[in-house]
Amino acid sequence: MSTIVVGYVPNALGDAAVDEAIREARRREAGLVVVNTTRADRLVDPGYADDTDVSRLEGKLAASNVDYEIRHGTSDATAAEEVLEAAESLNAELLVIGLRHRTPVGKLIMGSTAQTILLSARCNVLAVKLP
């Protein structure tokens, strides 16, 4: 069975990425691995799911009738590195990420998890935007 990896953050964009990953998993008859992580040295990270977020995510995935795994934890690596490592180790067919709008100046000043994934992934990447 092939695998789809999705990078998840607990917000509307993360939900949109998971929804699209579920659609792709059904279409491709693939398993789904959801990755949500933060660096171990960060005390507060709005991209890191709390217990309520993970429970809500598990409910959505269980209702989807796709095979799934949630990888949720802290790491010394960045979120981009964790998502890329998951895709690589699982030989993922597709990687799904949310992509938010950033100004050109914002792109120059800050690094971007999505940009790192888009430029470094060895498999196809589906970037999901909010409508």
Side-chain angles (χ1 to χ4, degrees):
M1 176 187 288
S2 63
T3 303
I4 295 172
V5 173
V6 58
Y8 172 73
V9 292
N11 60 28
L13 189 54
D15 290 338
V18 168
D19 290 344
E20 192 59 38
I22 289 169
R23 279 191 284 281
E24 285 295 323
R26 285 182 183 143
R27 187 174 73 80
R28 298 167 187 248
E29 298 180 354
L32 183 60
V33 175
V34 181
V35 179
N36 176 260
T37 185
T38 190
R39 288 188 41 161
D41 61 353
R42 293 183 123 178
L43 298 176
V44 176
D45 181 355
Y48 188 62
D50 63 21
D51 291 342
T52 302
D53 297 322
V54 173
S55 292
R56 189 176 55 80
L57 177 62
E58 284 179 333
K60 177 186 282 200
L61 292 168
S64 73
N65 293 321
V66 299
D67 291 333
Y68 71 90
E69 173 188 348
I70 298 174
R71 295 187 179 185
H72 178 252
T74 59
S75 170
D76 291 332
T78 66
E81 290 167 338
E82 286 292 314
V83 169
L84 289 166
E85 191 282 322
E88 183 74 23
S89 68
L90 295 166
N91 196 26
E93 176 181 352
L94 180 68
L95 208 162
V96 182
I97 58 171
L99 190 64
R100 64 186 165 102
H101 176 75
R102 293 178 49 191
T103 65
V105 172
K107 291 175 191 172
L108 286 173
I109 294 172
M110 290 185 247
S112 166
T113 300
Q115 183 176 352
T116 300
I117 291 170
L118 285 167
L119 296 174
S120 302
R122 293 186 180 182
C123 63
N124 291 327
V125 179
L126 175 59
V128 178
K129 294 177 11 175
L130 287 176

